[in-house]
Amino acid sequence: MSRAMQCQRCLSWGSWAQLPRSLPGSRDTRSLYLCAASVPGPAGRCFLRRVLRTSSISLPRACVRYQGGSQESSVQPSSSRQSQLRNVASSGAIKKHQKSLSAWFSHQPNEERQFGPSFSLDAVHVDPVIRESSLEEILKPSPDLTIQNQLQQPYRRVISLHNLFDVDACGRQVKNVVLYGTVGTGKSTLIKKMVVDWCHGRLPRFELVIPFSCEDLSHSHAHISLRRLITKKYQHLRDVVPVLEASNLKVLFILNGLERLNLDFRLAGTELCCDPNEPVPPSAIVVNLLRKYLLPEASIIVTTRPSAVRRIPGKYVGRYAEICGFSDTNLQKLYFQMRLSQPGCAGEESQDRSSAEQENLVEMLSRNLERHNQITAACFLPSYCWLVCTTLHFLYFTRTVPPSQTLTGIYTSFLRLNFSGEVLDSTDPTHISMMKYVAKTVGKLAYEGVMSRKTCFSEEDLQRCFEVEMKTESELNLLEVFRSDVFRFFLSPCVQPGKEHTFVFTIPAMQEYLAALYVVLGEKKTLAQRVGKELSEVIGRVSDDVVVVVNIISKVLPLRFLPVLFNLLKIFPRYFSRLSGKDRDAIAHTMAEELFKEEDYYNDDVLDQINSSILGVEGPMRHPDEAPDDEVFELFPIFMVGGILSRRNRAILEQLGCSIKNLAAFEIAKAMEKTVIRKGRRGLPPSELMDYLFFLHEFQNERFTAEAVRSLRTINLSSIKMTPLKCSVLASVMSTTCHEVEELNLTSCNLDSGSLRTLFPVLLRCKALHLQLNSLGSDACKEIRDLLLHDKCVVSSLRLTNNPVGEQGARYLAEALAGNRSLTQLSLLHTALGDAGAEAIAQHLAENQHLQELNLGYNSLTDAAALHVVEVAKRHETLDKVHLYFNDISEDGKRALDSLRMDRDGVRALVFLTAGTDVSDYWSHILNVVQRNLPFWDRERVRQHLALLLQDLESSRSQTANPWRKAKFLRVESEVKKMLGKLQDGTL
């Protein structure tokens, strides 16, 4: 019975919660015991002669018995000969080999190097849990896949990597070890660590380690000897290999990724070979090494996915070991602690602050893991721990990330690290890539979830997306391999109470990524569209050939009508091409609708959403009976047309077997210009505008971004926490053009001097710049000074209200005023200037020739400083308005300031709500300023100042006999009293 039919009959397809460990495998083979008399009669003698002719092995060495990959006995060379050969082998060749292997296996891929040189394999490696297993356990169904079974399991037979070759339960020395695990559990990383350990003397059991990649072996079809295979890959061993068999060296062969090879252990399929010099297919070398017929003294460790475990008959395996990932949350914490606390993680600038931020990240992440949130289930796989660290590094330490790095690029590279173009099943004739299969099946599930705003999936959902099109044996076999090897990489059990038997995507953003990939690859098609595409291709190919033939025949025969008939066949492909062009418009339209959904306008921006999904949300836990918030999928459109269509990501996806044609990407981008840019021109809330800017950054299409950015004349990002990453995104996107920005609002955005440095090119082009409520101190003012003194600066209005500028900051700003030629309005309201800061401003004010309005309100100025500023302002050519309200100005100072006349002195000082015996024209402006800034000011001090304003109003009202003026005074007094009442009640 075929594997697919057995699978269909014996397994419960309705129960996706029980992922079986029964694996599709190769045919079973019977035990073979080779000795001189094992085959009696002429046939036995003939067989023996054939063996001896093709091998250099002596007859006594043929009398060896192997069972279960554990060796019972062998004949050793003489001690003197062994010592001589060992001296040859222990020459500098092995040391050169160790040095070469160490350099190669310590080499980190590009995705790792973005963390800095301090992230070596030794520095951040945490060994996953390895559990000793058996063939019986592999074949029996696994328990329900729930978070309780997946985490904190009391593994009784846990074994370390260095003890894999210890004697087995029967006391026999283990020679062959099969180390298996699903995608993402860390098989390749564990092998790299094993090799590096040997190179540094931390694996003394073996004197020589020879690693092979089964992927490399699978690409070689030419016959080659074991000796040539080793020296071809490791030239340093050319002096060691000739004596390898006789020297009795303790050799370890590492065969990584056995699922890439199709092995046949039948004698009819792979003949016996015990001669290292005999050329045979690479798969035959592997088979005979595992049979212990070739180099029987050598130890072998094989890594593979679960579906390929049974390709090696059990009698050739001494120990099965399963990599269980970080099944203990303490291992997850240790990994994050080591990785996020590395000195080079946060860059070289402001080490003290970066170190504190690193510790804070580790603490928040640890608390989230302790709550057993969904991230705990995700970090069961070490590869997802890497993704979490990479994402946090991207979010918090952008200074060390290449400018072109994007979130989509991180996810695409993450998939390349884990799949690297692997086929799902090397025995399947279609050779479909694993990632392509995932995009077609898991991508469909992800897309349907996004469209229905759903993140939890039942068994019925899985059946509908995975099994509805299973019609052939090949398709069922592929599904079984996927369930065994890949399923838990993308989907994990839900941790929410009452939903333990449902599944969610291991990382929430992965659902949106795969949904986007599903759409962009064109998998979202109706049956008619799929048939139409195939028919179009067939007709297109056939019609060209037929038309050529008919044209030739028609020259000698009267068949003039036939070319016309066959030319009609070409109409269908052209018509279908136009229809497929409409698909591109549909993708662009879908992306625009998802990107600018009004119901998502006031959510957090996508970067904050990702941050919350990793670090959790601080505060009380949600009650189980409380209705959940609506699911948000704002990354989906950004991934769909932004990140995935960028040239770099398309190149990586091409390596994974997911091809996106340049023409398709061009047509989608062209279609987006009609929808996305038009909708982006309308006013967007700050969080939605940040998402739009992030989309443009992810797209990495400079021409498209420039077209979109030109329409942004006003940029309002107030109350957005502008992390270093967001500042980099804003600077990167705005750098595609050089147009002036009318207004940039960065109020309450957590800016600092580093943020201003990053945004410097953008700030130069902004006419109105709002930097209120950002805790900008003297260091930031130094950056602002450099900004205002730049010859390309066009800033005309600068608001620094409610920032701790201080005296030193005022000195920097005073220097800027002296040399700036664009600034006309400067607000330093409530910036802790004091008299010294105001004096510094006054000293340089005379050198400025363009300032028209200066706000120094609420800065604890006394009479002397206020009068000095006004005296300088009187002599200023353009300055006509100085705000001095809410300062410590006495009655004498008030009278001196009240005596100023615009027509005579050329300046007006706004101090109180009165102007002599009349109400000030700016009374409403002053009260509005108070009301807007009250949440950030000292309420008691504001109450005292309002009381003084009220007394001044009452005093001025008593001095006038004009009824119209009295009415105006009464109106303003009522507004002040109302504000005082609300202030005392706490309602303001």
Side-chain angles (χ1 to χ4, degrees):
M1 184 181 293
S2 68
R3 293 182 313 179
M5 297 307 295
Q6 290 174 355
C7 170
Q8 192 174 23
R9 191 184 72 175
C10 301
L11 298 179
S12 173
W13 289 106
S15 179
W16 278 80
Q18 290 187 347
L19 293 184
R21 296 191 184 210
S22 56
L23 308 169
S26 58
R27 303 171 182 85
D28 193 13
T29 58
R30 293 175 293 177
S31 300
L32 171 66
Y33 300 99
L34 174 63
C35 64
S38 57
V39 184
R45 289 193 296 273
C46 179
F47 171 76
L48 184 57
R49 283 197 301 270
R50 186 171 68 250
V51 170
L52 294 176
R53 276 201 310 270
T54 58
S55 68
S56 61
I57 190 170
S58 59
L59 183 60
R61 291 207 53 189
C63 301
V64 180
R65 184 170 182 243
Y66 304 101
Q67 185 174 6
S70 303
Q71 183 171 331
E72 292 186 354
S73 64
S74 63
V75 179
Q76 304 290 343
S78 65
S79 60
S80 60
R81 175 64 174 166
Q82 177 180 340
S83 176
Q84 181 182 359
L85 293 173
R86 187 181 295 273
N87 290 335
V88 174
S90 62
S91 62
I94 292 183
K95 292 183 180 179
K96 290 181 180 178
H97 178 61
Q98 287 178 324
K99 184 177 180 181
S100 176
L101 280 183
S102 177
W104 177 256
F105 280 85
S106 298
H107 176 77
Q108 300 291 347
N110 293 332
E111 291 78 8
E112 286 284 349
R113 289 203 298 271
Q114 69 182 349
F115 290 99
S118 64
F119 279 77
S120 65
L121 193 62
D122 287 337
V124 297
H125 182 76
V126 178
D127 284 330
V129 172
I130 303 176
R131 182 180 64 87
E132 187 172 0
S133 182
S134 65
L135 188 59
E136 291 75 18
E137 289 188 25
I138 296 172
L139 296 179
K140 72 179 182 180
S142 63
D144 288 352
L145 183 62
T146 61
I147 192 66
Q148 289 79 12
N149 291 324
Q150 185 167 304
L151 297 172
Q152 303 291 358
Q153 291 188 9
Y155 294 122
R156 296 179 181 176
R157 293 178 293 171
V158 172
I159 187 171
S160 70
L161 182 65
H162 293 179
N163 296 331
L164 288 175
F165 290 93
D166 288 352
V167 296
D168 60 13
C170 299
R172 294 175 300 184
Q173 184 65 46
V174 172
K175 287 293 185 180
N176 291 350
V177 173
V178 172
L179 186 64
Y180 68 94
T182 59
V183 174
T185 50
K187 299 183 294 296
S188 298
T189 303
L190 201 62
I191 291 301
K192 288 173 64 176
K193 181 65 166 55
M194 188 178 190
V195 173
V196 172
D197 282 351
W198 176 76
C199 293
H200 295 120
R202 293 192 291 266
L203 197 62
R205 181 191 294 269
F206 302 106
E207 297 169 296
L208 179 61
V209 172
I210 303 177
F212 284 112
S213 167
C214 292
E215 180 183 7
D216 293 342
L217 297 179
S218 68
H219 294 319
S220 176
H221 302 290
H223 288 212
I224 191 171
S225 67
L226 176 61
R227 177 178 177 178
R228 174 58 183 151
L229 185 64
I230 296 174
T231 55
K232 181 180 179 182
K233 189 170 182 63
Y234 305 108
Q235 296 182 3
H236 299 300
L237 298 179
R238 60 180 176 270
D239 295 331
V240 179
V241 172
V243 297
L244 192 61
E245 186 177 16
S247 64
N248 201 30
L249 272 177
K250 296 178 181 178
V251 181
L252 171 65
F253 285 97
I254 297 177
L255 303 173
N256 188 34
L258 188 74
E259 67 276 356
R260 303 290 189 97
L261 286 175
N262 294 327
L263 302 181
D264 190 349
F265 280 81
R266 299 172 304 160
L267 286 176
T270 304
E271 65 178 8
L272 296 175
C273 174
C274 59
D275 183 4
N277 298 309
E278 180 180 354
V280 293
S283 59
I285 293 177
V286 173
V287 168
N288 282 288
L289 282 172
L290 291 169
R291 284 171 173 167
K292 311 312 293 180
Y293 200 68
L294 186 61
L295 298 183
E297 300 294 335
S299 299
I300 301 174
I301 184 169
V302 173
T303 67
T304 185
R305 301 200 306 257
S307 63
V309 169
R310 282 190 58 195
R311 294 185 187 179
I312 305 176
K315 65 183 179 181
Y316 298 128
V317 180
R319 174 170 284 130
Y320 292 95
E322 179 185 10
I323 303 180
C324 300
F326 294 155
S327 54
D328 187 345
T329 53
N330 290 324
L331 292 178
Q332 300 175 9
K333 292 180 184 179
L334 178 61
Y335 180 91
F336 292 130
Q337 177 71 35
M338 294 177 65
R339 187 130 206 172
L340 294 175
S341 300
Q342 288 295 309
C345 180
E348 299 178 356
E349 299 182 5
S350 59
Q351 284 293 329
D352 294 338
R353 176 184 165 192
S354 297
S355 178
E357 191 168 21
Q358 287 173 269
E359 293 177 3
N360 184 47
L361 283 179
V362 172
E363 178 63 25
M364 293 178 66
L365 193 53
S366 179
R367 286 201 300 267
N368 205 20
L369 290 172
E370 289 171 357
R371 288 194 289 261
H372 286 279
N373 284 338
Q374 200 62 52
I375 190 175
T376 313
C379 294
F380 167 78
L381 294 173
S383 58
Y384 274 103
C385 292
W386 179 89
L387 180 61
V388 167
C389 289
T390 307
T391 306
L392 287 176
H393 187 268
F394 178 66
L395 293 175
Y396 285 89
F397 308 118
T398 316
R399 302 175 190 89
T400 58
V401 176
S404 61
Q405 183 67 64
T406 63
L407 184 66
T408 317
I410 289 176
Y411 276 77
T412 308
S413 300
F414 168 71
L415 293 174
R416 182 173 65 121
L417 284 174
N418 285 276
F419 295 97
S420 63
E422 288 188 48
V423 297
L424 182 60
D425 184 5
S426 61
T427 64
D428 186 77
T430 62
H431 288 90
I432 184 172
S433 76
M434 194 180 296
M435 198 60 229
K436 180 70 171 179
Y437 186 87
V438 167
K440 291 171 61 118
T441 55
V442 187
K444 179 181 179 182
L445 180 72
Y447 175 76
E448 292 183 359
V450 169
M451 291 296 100
S452 58
R453 302 180 82 84
K454 182 171 66 173
T455 57
C456 290
F457 302 94
S458 64
E459 293 182 5
E460 290 74 17
D461 296 326
L462 298 178
Q463 290 175 7
R464 184 176 63 256
C465 289
F466 288 93
E467 301 174 18
V468 68
E469 297 180 3
M470 298 293 105
K471 297 177 181 178
T472 66
E473 180 181 6
S474 175
E475 290 173 341
L476 290 173
N477 289 339
L478 289 175
L479 178 60
E480 175 62 14
V481 173
F482 169 79
R483 283 161 55 96
S484 173
D485 297 350
V486 191
F487 178 81
R488 279 185 278 186
F489 183 84
F490 291 103
L491 293 160
S492 60
C494 184
V495 301
Q496 295 181 20
K499 296 184 178 180
E500 291 83 358
H501 294 281
T502 61
F503 294 91
V504 296
F505 278 83
T506 310
I507 291 288
M510 187 60 74
Q511 177 180 353
E512 299 177 75
Y513 182 95
L514 292 178
L517 187 61
Y518 176 75
V519 173
V520 174
L521 287 177
E523 296 297 334
K524 178 183 168 290
K525 287 186 175 74
T526 63
L527 180 61
Q529 288 174 320
R530 292 180 183 176
V531 172
K533 181 181 179 181
E534 295 176 0
L535 188 61
S536 171
E537 292 175 351
V538 171
I539 292 178
R541 289 194 298 266
V542 172
S543 62
D544 290 339
D545 297 336
V546 172
V547 167
V548 171
V549 174
V550 171
N551 282 336
I552 295 174
I553 296 175
S554 64
K555 292 182 179 180
V556 295
L557 295 176
L559 301 174
R560 300 295 182 184
F561 67 95
L562 286 180
V564 177
L565 176 63
F566 283 105
N567 278 328
L568 292 176
L569 293 173
K570 294 185 176 181
I571 296 177
F572 185 81
R574 293 171 186 170
Y575 177 72
F576 185 81
S577 176
R578 293 180 182 178
L579 289 180
S580 62
K582 293 187 176 181
D583 288 343
R584 313 281 190 251
D585 293 337
I587 291 176
H589 179 74
T590 301
M591 198 285 300
E593 292 297 323
E594 292 292 327
L595 186 62
F596 298 109
K597 270 190 174 180
E598 293 188 5
E599 56 264 38
D600 295 335
Y601 267 13
Y602 300 99
N603 297 326
D604 292 339
D605 62 80
V606 292
L607 295 175
D608 284 348
Q609 292 174 28
I610 294 172
N611 182 70
S612 299
S613 70
I614 295 175
L615 299 180
V617 179
E618 297 295 324
M621 298 289 289
R622 183 189 297 276
H623 192 275
D625 297 333
E626 186 178 348
D629 297 331
D630 290 337
E631 300 294 347
V632 178
F633 297 98
E634 294 185 85
L635 266 176
F636 168 62
I638 294 175
F639 281 151
M640 181 169 66
V641 185
I644 289 178
L645 287 183
S646 70
R647 182 171 300 178
R648 177 179 179 273
N649 288 319
R650 282 190 286 120
I652 296 176
L653 287 170
E654 180 76 29
Q655 299 172 18
L656 296 175
C658 299
S659 177
I660 303 173
K661 303 299 182 184
N662 290 331
L663 181 60
F666 173 77
E667 289 177 347
I668 294 174
K670 187 176 180 181
M672 282 197 303
E673 292 183 3
K674 307 174 185 177
T675 54
V676 177
I677 296 178
R678 184 181 69 250
K679 291 190 175 184
R681 286 172 181 159
R682 64 191 186 190
L684 297 172
S687 62
E688 200 70 12
L689 179 58
M690 188 68 242
D691 289 347
Y692 182 49
L693 295 172
F694 186 61
F695 156 74
L696 295 175
H697 171 72
E698 290 284 310
F699 196 15
Q700 295 287 295
N701 185 321
E702 188 172 343
R703 187 189 64 81
F704 181 89
T705 301
E707 184 68 25
V709 167
R710 286 192 190 96
S711 62
L712 296 178
R713 296 293 178 178
T714 300
I715 302 175
N716 180 13
L717 296 174
S718 60
S719 300
I720 297 294
K721 185 178 180 181
M722 293 297 291
T723 62
L725 172 61
K726 294 177 188 175
C727 292
S728 298
V729 167
L730 177 58
S732 173
V733 169
M734 296 300 295
S735 67
T736 56
T737 67
C738 56
H739 76 285
E740 292 184 359
V741 178
E742 295 295 330
E743 181 179 355
L744 175 60
N745 190 345
L746 296 175
T747 301
S748 188
C749 288
N750 287 45
L751 299 179
D752 56 14
S753 57
S755 306
L756 297 180
R757 219 168 9 253
T758 303
L759 294 172
F760 192 91
V762 180
L763 303 181
L764 281 175
R765 298 153 46 190
C766 299
K767 293 183 178 180
L769 189 55
H770 300 273
L771 300 177
Q772 304 98 300
L773 293 165
N774 278 297
S775 301
L776 299 177
S778 57
D779 290 342
C781 290
K782 189 175 181 180
E783 300 294 330
I784 295 174
R785 178 200 63 184
D786 297 340
L787 171 72
L788 295 176
L789 291 177
H790 198 281
D791 56 353
K792 293 184 179 180
C793 177
V794 299
V795 178
S796 60
S797 175
L798 175 62
R799 297 183 182 275
L800 289 170
T801 303
N802 298 319
N803 283 295
V805 172
E807 178 183 346
Q808 184 58 45
R811 296 186 186 281
Y812 288 133
L813 294 177
E815 294 176 20
L817 282 175
N820 178 266
R821 298 182 179 180
S822 62
L823 196 64
T824 59
Q825 294 179 333
L826 175 62
S827 176
L828 297 174
L829 176 68
H830 191 222
T831 50
L833 298 181
D835 285 349
E839 292 286 350
I841 295 288
Q843 288 174 9
H844 291 79
L845 196 57
E847 302 175 48
N848 180 281
Q849 299 179 359
H850 301 277
L851 194 65
Q852 299 175 8
E853 184 175 352
L854 176 63
N855 192 334
L856 299 178
Y858 202 161
N859 275 296
S860 302
L861 304 187
T862 59
D863 292 358
L867 291 172
H868 185 201
V869 169
V870 171
E871 285 299 322
V872 174
K874 289 168 62 177
R875 298 190 296 271
H876 197 281
E877 294 183 4
T878 58
L879 185 60
D880 60 6
K881 195 181 300 179
V882 179
H883 301 250
L884 294 171
Y885 39 80
F886 275 65
N887 282 302
D888 301 332
I889 299 175
S890 65
E891 286 294 326
D892 292 338
K894 174 184 177 301
R895 283 193 292 271
L897 294 172
D898 280 345
S899 64
L900 292 173
R901 295 291 182 270
M902 186 65 190
D903 54 351
R904 183 187 66 200
D905 302 308
V907 66
R908 177 172 295 154
L910 309 183
V911 185
F912 287 89
L913 302 182
T914 59
T917 58
D918 198 357
V919 174
S920 171
D921 294 337
Y922 299 95
W923 69 269
S924 61
H925 170 77
I926 295 174
L927 291 183
N928 285 335
V929 169
V930 174
Q931 190 163 5
R932 282 199 309 269
N933 293 279
L934 189 58
F936 320 107
W937 290 358
D938 183 354
R939 287 177 172 265
E940 180 59 27
R941 186 171 180 183
V942 171
R943 190 191 63 77
Q944 294 175 3
H945 276 286
L946 287 176
L948 289 175
L949 291 177
L950 184 61
Q951 292 177 10
D952 181 64
L953 285 169
E954 292 173 348
S955 174
S956 298
R957 177 168 54 85
S958 63
Q959 295 175 14
T960 181
N962 188 320
W964 173 246
R965 289 183 178 179
K966 283 183 178 290
K968 289 171 62 178
F969 275 116
L970 289 173
R971 180 191 173 191
V972 178
E973 287 175 29
S974 66
E975 293 292 332
V976 175
K977 290 178 181 178
K978 188 186 301 183
M979 189 176 293
L980 274 170
K982 290 182 178 180
L983 188 61
Q984 292 173 353
D985 297 339
T987 57
L988 186 61

